[in-house]
């Protein structure tokens, strides 16, 4: 279900880099862009459920301020007038933040999370709060505060989460871009399933200050192009002193340096044994092989690279997620049992049985796998990035099969790199003929080589046309 | 990780925290099987002090199957 010519050229599907340029040079009014997206949301959100809250008045007011500033000749930020959908777990000052839970149905934060402040400082406008699995955990349910989002590429299929509404908003042309969180794959998995760039930065590069603690979950952009992801990262990355996990280093100006590297000759590691041991669907395998062929045609050298401990890293990551989710909700879940979703509240209790030993052992395993990746894979063998499918499965429904879901098999490729902290990106790699849904491929690079990863993803993007195709919701 | 026992044991143990029904406990029992397997695997890998985790004990497959002889690896 790739779009009509109109869909390819419409304002709402323009890359945010192009939207920002037109606004800056007075060729496009921020108010006009905002109204275009609000119109799309009014038309399509009732069926897609991408947004839980839409800030119509606030967005138009902020857009007017952008237009006025430009008319006065004032300098505006690089994201001036750009409309961002924000996962509804990330606090936004004065704008309801529900985590898609009845428990927080009316919570209006008094402060922005640090990343929201940074985006606003860059000129971005928060158009609304995007749907998600309740508390970014468990499985979605029609009984959630907001019903689950549907994938714009084929609205008969659910959106993959947990940043599902963010994925639906960005791919359906309901916002310029979106942000979400990735604690086990929740940006990269929806990135793959919505034909988007889902970029999880190195641990600590984007601060989580101002939202709930989670050791290995990174606030991350979901965008339609790599340049858009780089521009978002430019705005989102940076040291926040109040955050003990925030990285002290200076961001490097990602969007300005996308073409600085020649990727020919880069060694791309493929952990074939690990990949082939997953229950990959045939269409995923085909798309991944085409993805590797494309990298090879760009001059990359593909190297079979066994990596030990990715399964254990996935397990360790989920133990930490379980422990932290339980710790956060232990008192509340008993007091407010009926306000939690029936599935969520049971998922939240998984951590009740874990001991301090279990948690510390998990941390130890994560460090062992991180060390191996840094010293052997990205060190001695000279691999510049690891290539893997983003998910073994095409549809959200398949990825939620009981038994496999609780073991994290849907996140078998993504979750290991949460506990290790490595930057990792899902890029569009094709489509499923049987469903019309996009399929992603994933690249992962050494710690703090976020720039190299973006450069590689950009080179791949320039050699393909997946990013030029969009769902046609009017069809 | 402690053995959660049966769904009835889970209802008893968790009673002070949340009012689980039998259906909740059955679902949690199934989920805890995966959590326990993961925790047990972490315990297996934990080294004897002052050693570090032996990388050779880490698996090469999605299911964490480490029964692959070195000679079989490419």
């Amino acid at each position: 279900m790739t779009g009509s010519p109109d869909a390819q050229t419409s304002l709402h599907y323009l890359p945010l880099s192009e939207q920002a340029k037109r606004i800056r040079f007075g060729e496009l009014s921020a108010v006009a862009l905002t109204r275009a997206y609000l119109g799309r949301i009014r038309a399509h959100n009732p069926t897609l459920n991408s947004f839980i809250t839409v800030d119509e008045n606030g967005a138009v007011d902020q857009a007017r301020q952008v237009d006025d500033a430009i008319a006065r000749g004032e300098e505006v930020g690089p994201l001036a007038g750009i409309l961002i959908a924000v996962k509804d777990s990330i606090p936004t000052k004065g704008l309801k933040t529900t985590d898609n839970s009845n428990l927080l149905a009316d919570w209006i934060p008094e402060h922005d999370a640090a990343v929201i402040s940074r985006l606003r400082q860059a000129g971005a406008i928060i158009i609304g709060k995007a749907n998600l699995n309740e508390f970014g955990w468990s499985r979605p349910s029609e009984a959630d505060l907001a019903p689950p989002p549907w994938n714009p590429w084929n609205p008969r299929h659910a959106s993959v989460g947990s940043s599902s509404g963010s994925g639906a908003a960005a791919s359906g042309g309901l916002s310029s871009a979106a942000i979400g969180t990735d604690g086990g794959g929740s940006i990269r998995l929806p990135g793959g399933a919505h034909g988007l760039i889902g970029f999880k930065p190195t641990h600590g590069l984007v601060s989580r200050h101002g939202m709930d603690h989670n050791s290995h979950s990174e606030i991350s952009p979901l965008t339609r192009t790599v340049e858009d992801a780089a521009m978002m990262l430019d705005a989102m990355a940076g040291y926040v002193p109040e955050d003990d996990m925030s990285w002290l280093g200076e961001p490097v100006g990602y969007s300005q340096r996308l073409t600085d590297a020649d990727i020919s000759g880069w060694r791309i590691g493929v952990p074939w044994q690990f990949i082939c041991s997953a229950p990959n669907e045939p269409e995923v395998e085909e798309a991944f092989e085409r993805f590797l062929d494309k990298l090879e045609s760009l001059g990359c050298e593909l190297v079979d690279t066994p990596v030990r401990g990715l399964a254990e890293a996935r397990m360790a990551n989920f133990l930490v997620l379980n422990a932290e989710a339980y710790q956060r909700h232990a008192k509340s879940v008993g007091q407010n049992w009926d306000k939690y979703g029936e599935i969520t509240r049971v998922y939240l209790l998984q951590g009740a049985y874990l001991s301090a030993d279990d948690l510390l052992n998990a941390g130890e395993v994560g460090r062992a796998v991180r060390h191996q990746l840094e010293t052997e894979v990205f060190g001695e063998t000279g691999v510049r990035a690891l290539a893997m499918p983003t998910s073994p499965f095409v549809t959200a429904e398949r990825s939620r099969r009981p038994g496999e879901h609780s073991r994290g098999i849907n996140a078998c490729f993504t979750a290991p790199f949460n506990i290790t902290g490595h930057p990792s990106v899902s890029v569009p790699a094709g489509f499923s003929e049987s469903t019309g849904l996009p399929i992603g491929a994933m690249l992962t690079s050494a710690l703090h080589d976020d720039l190299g990863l973006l450069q590689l993803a950009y080179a791949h993007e320039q050699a393909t046309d997946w990013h030029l195709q969009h769902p046609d919701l009017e069809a | 990780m402690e053995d959660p026992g049966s769904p009835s044991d889970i209802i008893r143990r968790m009673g002070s925290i949340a009012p689980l029904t039998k259906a909740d406990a059955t679902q949690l029992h199934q989920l805890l099987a995966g959590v326990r397997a993961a925790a047990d695997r972490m315990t297996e890998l934990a080294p004897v002090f002052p050693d570090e985790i032996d990388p050779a004990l880490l698996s090469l497959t999605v299911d964490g199957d480490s029964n692959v002889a070195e000679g079989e690896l490419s």
Side-chain angles (χ1 to χ4, degrees), chain A residues 276-299:
Chain A
C276 293
S277 69
N280 303 308
E281 293 185 296
E283 289 182 314
V284 170
E285 290 179 353
E286 289 162 21
F288 184 62
E289 282 171 14
R290 282 197 305 270
F291 172 69
L292 293 180
D293 288 346
K294 185 58 72 177
L295 290 177
E296 208 163 26
S297 75
L298 291 167

Side-chain angles (χ1 to χ4, degrees), chain A residues 364-392:
Chain A
E364 197 74 27
V365 167
R367 282 191 289 279
V369 178
R370 181 185 310 132
H371 179 74
Q372 181 211 182
L373 286 165
E374 285 296 288
T375 58
E376 293 176 27
V377 176
F378 300 125
E380 290 164 18
T381 59
V383 161
R384 195 63 198 265
L386 283 173
M388 305 163 84
T390 304
S391 168

